[in-house]
Amino acid sequence: MPAISDAARTPVLVGASGGPARPETRHVALEGMTCSSCVSSIEGALNAVPGVVDAQVNFASEEATIEVAPGSVGIDELISAVSGAGYGAR
């Protein structure tokens, strides 16, 4: 069975004109992280939200930067995902 490359797993966003669409960036302030495992848990929860293209958590600044498909995910859904993972978000 052939291996799936990382490129095959990367979502391609298509704009209204049929060309590539740029993801929208959302920022969420985080609370309750104590270690790098917390970072992984929050990133996993955010990346599981439909419409999220990529989520990166910065432990030092206590902030998540989330790239989403245009118009697909609201900030409330992202905050809910973080809360569901057991952490605070605003």
Side-chain angles (χ1 to χ4, degrees):
M1 183 157 109
I4 298 173
S5 70
D6 286 335
R9 294 182 187 146
T10 303
V12 176
L13 303 176
V14 179
S17 65
R22 290 187 167 210
E24 297 173 350
T25 303
R26 307 272 190 264
H27 297 278
V28 176
L30 303 168
E31 299 171 344
M33 293 188 298
T34 59
C35 64
S36 61
S37 181
C38 298
V39 169
S40 296
S41 295
I42 294 170
E43 284 179 344
L46 289 168
N47 280 311
V49 175
V52 170
V53 176
D54 185 49
Q56 300 291 318
V57 172
N58 185 308
F59 180 74
S61 67
E62 295 184 313
E63 182 179 74
T65 302
I66 307 109
E67 301 289 326
V68 301
S72 66
V73 181
I75 196 76
D76 291 337
E77 293 169 277
L78 300 173
I79 289 172
S80 179
V82 172
S83 296
Y87 301 91
R90 50 185 164 77

